[in-house]
């Protein structure tokens, strides 16, 4: 087993200032090709088309999650809290660093189309024939499986899982701060140092000292704001819809035996749903962007149109609607068809709650598997309570399910030809 580096390595980071690496294993993991690939995958997918600063990578986020976890553990160790199992340090740090290593290009959009799951790929990378697996096995034969169990939330010590995956974990704390920084918004910030100082290991869980409640409120409010201002942003959704339609069309053409003028092997395997682990780790956003540029010249007009829209940011317009009405939708579909478009690809209704985010849910088990552990407060008399019981602010945003439908479609052809839609519909779809 390898120990500490003779000299600590330091990364400069705009969010955490510095990121410190002290273990040979962590340093070796960072230098594997599977981890370096994360430099070529953006943390926020297509958000850069809405907030141009959002070019940060999963590489920087993964280092950030590692650093927060390292700081929490070192606080636990310095204070000699008896409830922190010291032997779990390295497995926790490795899981933090590697928790997103299975993300593919534009993860969430592609997962919808190809029915893949980044968490399954993460485990495949940890356990399969990869450089990461080789580094982890140098710690112990069963070590890759232990790290995978933490990420899958099946590790026998829940305290380790909750560091990486709970309602207030190192993952969320890093992405909120990082996404706020790179998008340039003011509202994602909260006092990380204060939160880290009030965390306590307590009877197999991580809890928050009650005096830190207001810092946690601030964290949850920033999460609430980030979801609505950044993650659910309707313009980002528009770019995601077009991206999904590109891959949907490419897959459809591939299934029909269409011969692409340009194709890369890992992409072809993706379209055929035959990805091997070796193909998967060759997929990144540079390859996807190259494909869009090449496919813009394909003879298939639909694929070419979708790629040009994505590359040149000619996104679909959106209108907010209370309740989708079938007759309006039929009228819009007909107008798009008359304009030479394909409503099956050029029109979509979206409800923001289909997104993989939630603001805060205290209930540990509401039917979904592997619910994230709630935030627990510890008072001076050693009593535990769930935060929404004590905090009016948290209670007011807990389990919120507000949301509206958005209808997406290209507006230019409908603006260019006024006779395609009735006046009433033009008003309804805000085309005047
Ligand atoms: Ni993450």
């Amino acid at each position: 087993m390898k120990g500490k580096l003779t000299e600590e390595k330091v990364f400069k980071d705009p969010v955490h200032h510095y990121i410190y690496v002290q273990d040979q294993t962590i340093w070796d993991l960072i230098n594997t090709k599977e981890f370096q690939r994360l430099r070529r995958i953006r943390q926020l997918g297509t958000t850069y088309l809405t907030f141009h600063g959002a070019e940060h990578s999963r590489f920087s986020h993964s280092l950030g999650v590692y650093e927060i976890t390292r700081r929490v553990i070192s606080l636990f160790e310095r204070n000699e809290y008896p409830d922190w199992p010291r032997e779990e340090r390295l497995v926790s740090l490795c899981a933090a660093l590697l928790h997103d290593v299975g993300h593919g290009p534009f993860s969430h959009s592609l997962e919808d189309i190809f029915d893949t799951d980044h968490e399954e790929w993460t485990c495949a990378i940890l356990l399969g024939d990869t450089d990461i697996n080789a580094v982890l096995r140098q710690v112990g034969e069963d070590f890759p499986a232990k790290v995978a169990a933490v990420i899958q939330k099946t590790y026998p010590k829940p305290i380790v899982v909750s560091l990486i995956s709970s309602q207030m974990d190192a993952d969320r704390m890093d992405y909120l701060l990082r996404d706020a920084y790179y998008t340039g918004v003011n509202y994602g910030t909260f006092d990380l140092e204060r939160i880290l100082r009030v965390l306590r290991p307590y009877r197999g869980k991580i809890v928050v000292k009650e005096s830190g409640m207001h810092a946690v409120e601030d964290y949850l409010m920033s999460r609430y704001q980030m979801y609505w201002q950044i993650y659910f942003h309707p313009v980002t959704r528009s770019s995601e819809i077009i991206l999904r339609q590109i891959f949907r069309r490419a897959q459809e053409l591939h299934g029909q035996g269409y011969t692409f003028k340009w194709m890369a092997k890992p992409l072809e395997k993706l379209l055929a749903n035959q990805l091997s682990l070796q193909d998967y780790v060759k997929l990144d956003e540079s390859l996807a962007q190259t494909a869009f540029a090449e496919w813009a010249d394909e003879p298939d007009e639909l694929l070419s149109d979708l790629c040009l829209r994505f590359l040149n940011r000619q996104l679909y317009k959106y209108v907010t609607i209370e309740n989708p009405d079938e007759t309006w939708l039929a009228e819009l579909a007909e107008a798009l068809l008359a304009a030479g478009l394909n409503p099956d690809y050029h029109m979509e209704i979206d409800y923001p709650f289909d997104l993989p985010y939630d603001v805060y849910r205290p209930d540990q088990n509401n039917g979904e598997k592997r619910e994230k552990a709630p935030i627990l407060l510890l008072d001076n008399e050693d009593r535990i309570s769930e935060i929404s019981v004590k905090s009016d602010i948290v209670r007011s945003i807990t389990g919120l399910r507000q949301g509206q439908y958005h209808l997406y479609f290209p507006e230019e052809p409908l603006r260019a030809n006024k006779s395609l839609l009735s006046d009433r519909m033009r008003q309804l779809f805000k085309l005047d």
Side-chain angles (χ1 to χ4, degrees):
M1 182 174 162
K2 295 178 195 170
K4 302 273 177 186
L5 290 160
T6 43
E7 200 175 333
E8 181 176 78
K9 306 278 184 188
V10 181
F11 290 81
K12 189 85 187 77
D13 183 74
V15 176
H16 303 303
H17 206 43
Y18 290 103
I19 289 171
Y20 298 92
V21 177
Q22 296 141 342
D23 303 81
Q24 184 72 48
T25 299
I26 297 296
W27 181 244
D28 291 347
L29 287 171
I30 292 170
N31 290 313
T32 58
K33 62 175 186 292
E34 296 90 14
F35 193 79
Q36 291 290 321
R37 160 185 166 275
L38 298 178
R39 290 182 187 270
R40 303 187 299 275
I41 294 176
R42 291 183 186 85
Q43 174 67 12
L44 285 182
T46 66
T47 301
Y48 71 95
L49 291 168
T50 313
F51 297 89
H52 64 256
E55 295 276 353
H56 55 304
S57 67
R58 292 208 177 263
F59 179 89
S60 69
H61 163 65
S62 299
L63 285 182
V65 177
Y66 154 80
E67 176 62 11
I68 292 178
T69 308
R70 190 194 67 77
R71 286 184 197 177
V72 173
I73 292 174
S74 94
L75 270 165
F76 289 177
E77 288 179 349
R78 277 211 301 281
N79 288 294
E80 299 187 358
Y81 295 133
D83 284 14
W84 169 249
R86 282 172 169 259
E87 66 282 6
E88 304 297 339
R89 178 177 173 277
L90 190 61
V91 75
S92 308
L93 294 179
C94 291
L97 184 72
L98 300 175
H99 77 286
D100 275 346
V101 84
H103 272 284
F106 307 111
S107 286
H108 296 299
S109 314
L110 254 71
E111 284 178 11
D112 286 352
I113 294 289
F114 297 107
D115 201 25
T116 63
D117 180 307
H118 66 265
E119 207 176 283
E120 282 171 24
W121 283 111
T122 298
C123 290
I125 290 170
L126 297 185
L127 303 174
D129 180 14
T130 59
D131 293 357
I132 284 182
N133 178 267
V135 172
L136 294 175
R137 264 189 296 115
Q138 288 171 357
V139 179
E141 270 311 309
D142 62 341
F143 195 65
K146 284 170 97 175
V147 177
V150 176
I151 294 171
Q152 286 176 307
K153 310 177 192 71
T154 55
Y155 196 65
K157 295 197 181 158
I159 195 164
V160 177
V161 175
S162 68
L163 270 178
I164 323 291
S165 180
S166 64
Q167 292 283 353
M168 196 171 64
D169 56 25
D171 183 22
R172 290 178 186 220
M173 288 194 265
D174 182 80
Y175 76 60
L176 289 176
L177 293 173
R178 194 166 296 278
D179 296 345
Y181 177 89
Y182 281 97
T183 50
V185 299
N186 279 324
Y187 22 72
T189 53
F190 55 90
D191 190 346
L192 177 67
E193 293 307 318
R194 172 86 183 124
I195 288 185
L196 299 189
R197 299 203 72 82
V198 293
L199 293 181
R200 295 284 180 279
Y202 179 80
R203 298 186 184 165
K205 291 188 174 112
I206 291 176
V207 300
V208 182
K209 230 177 101 183
E210 193 167 344
S211 61
M213 182 173 91
H214 299 299
V216 177
E217 285 177 345
D218 211 26
Y219 154 84
L220 286 172
M221 285 312 285
S222 79
R223 201 157 123 187
Y224 175 82
Q225 305 244 12
M226 287 295 284
Y227 288 169
W228 288 104
Q229 309 293 336
I230 308 290
Y231 305 134
F232 292 174
H233 198 291
V235 174
T236 306
R237 293 297 281 166
S238 178
S239 55
E240 283 174 349
I241 287 168
I242 295 173
L243 182 80
R244 277 208 310 272
Q245 302 295 19
I246 291 174
F247 281 104
R248 195 178 139 222
R249 181 59 178 170
Q251 189 173 41
E252 188 174 69
L253 291 171
H254 181 271
Q256 293 165 358
Y258 176 91
T259 314
F260 288 80
K261 279 169 47 186
W262 185 92
M263 182 55 81
K265 187 176 158 252
L267 282 174
E268 183 158 32
K269 296 281 192 167
L270 173 72
L271 299 181
N273 281 322
Q274 288 172 351
L275 277 177
S276 69
L277 179 55
Q278 310 315 324
D279 298 321
Y280 188 75
V281 295
K282 285 184 190 145
L283 287 174
D284 60 32
E285 288 177 10
S286 318
L287 185 63
Q289 297 275 6
T290 304
F292 304 153
E294 295 287 344
W295 291 348
D297 294 330
E298 284 290 339
D300 182 69
E301 279 177 36
L302 183 50
L303 182 63
S304 162
D305 171 80
L306 294 166
C307 288
L308 286 170
R309 282 179 189 282
F310 188 82
L311 287 172
N312 302 325
R313 200 188 175 281
Q314 303 292 314
L315 305 181
Y316 295 172
K317 173 197 177 69
Y318 73 92
V319 283
T320 307
I321 43 178
E322 294 292 329
N323 271 310
D325 178 310
E326 291 301 322
T327 45
W328 309 346
L329 296 181
E331 233 184 290
L332 180 62
E334 214 166 290
L336 291 171
L337 209 55
L341 296 175
N342 183 338
D344 195 24
Y345 284 89
H346 287 112
M347 186 176 132
E348 189 159 324
I349 295 180
D350 182 55
Y351 189 64
F353 280 110
D354 299 337
L355 295 174
Y357 298 101
D358 66 294
V359 173
Y360 179 64
R361 276 183 290 165
D363 40 337
Q364 242 176 317
N365 193 352
N366 62 354
E368 287 168 53
K369 58 169 190 173
R370 298 184 304 177
E371 194 62 32
K372 298 205 171 205
I375 300 173
L376 301 174
L377 300 177
L378 178 69
D379 70 14
N380 289 333
E381 275 139 56
D382 255 20
R383 283 173 309 203
I384 293 275
S385 42
E386 189 279 310
I387 189 169
S388 67
V389 176
K390 295 245 167 155
S391 161
D392 296 334
I393 290 180
V394 174
R395 197 161 48 248
S396 73
I397 57 166
T398 292
L400 272 189
R401 275 286 176 271
Q402 68 178 41
Q404 291 161 314
Y405 291 92
H406 288 142
L407 174 62
Y408 291 86
F409 56 89
E411 64 178 324
E412 335 75 71
L414 304 177
R415 281 194 189 281
N417 187 346
K418 285 198 185 280
S419 65
L420 290 173
L421 277 173
S422 66
D423 287 347
R424 183 169 142 58
M425 288 298 131
R426 298 188 67 76
Q427 238 173 27
L428 212 59
F429 298 135
K430 305 196 171 60
L431 286 164
D432 290 315

